[in-house]
Amino acid sequence: MIDEPAQAFENADAKTIVAALWSNWPIVATLRPADVGMDASPDRLIDFIKVFQDLGDAGLITFEAFIVGPGGPQMIDAALTARGRALLGPDMNAALAVRQLAS
């Protein structure tokens, strides 16, 4: 059996996006590739779109709209779902605790 949420979260881009959404929780966020450290090359823009699609398909995140315009792709009002927070919560809480201790 394939663990879809685990597969969606296994790359560094997905972890960066989830961390950005977790740090904004419970406020929704509009994310662009540059917001999560992805450059504007065509390949990275495609990676951004694919990661959001994978995380959404796995039920870990939700977003109100997806827009592609002259400034590149944007995920409007993105947030972690309850399922995403439950599945990723222990890992994210530990990462945030370490970040808070370091600052």
Side-chain angles (χ1 to χ4, degrees):
M1 180 174 172
I2 297 172
D3 186 1
E4 190 173 350
Q7 282 186 335
F9 189 64
E10 66 187 17
N11 75 45
D13 292 334
K15 291 177 183 179
T16 302
I17 288 170
V18 167
L21 293 174
W22 191 273
S23 68
N24 283 322
W25 178 257
I27 300 168
V28 295
T30 295
L31 290 180
R32 296 164 193 82
D35 297 334
V36 291
M38 299 174 84
D39 65 36
S41 71
D43 289 339
R44 294 301 282 154
L45 296 178
I46 291 169
D47 290 343
F48 177 79
I49 294 165
K50 183 170 177 10
V51 169
F52 260 94
Q53 183 177 5
D54 290 346
L55 290 169
D57 289 349
L60 301 177
I61 65 166
T62 186
F63 48 92
E64 185 68 29
F66 167 69
I67 299 171
V68 177
Q74 298 180 46
M75 299 300 172
I76 309 296
D77 291 347
L80 292 170
T81 62
R83 179 180 186 193
R85 291 188 315 276
L87 290 173
L88 305 173
D91 292 334
M92 296 310 296
N93 284 334
L96 288 174
V98 168
R99 188 180 328 150
Q100 288 173 349
L101 289 173
S103 59

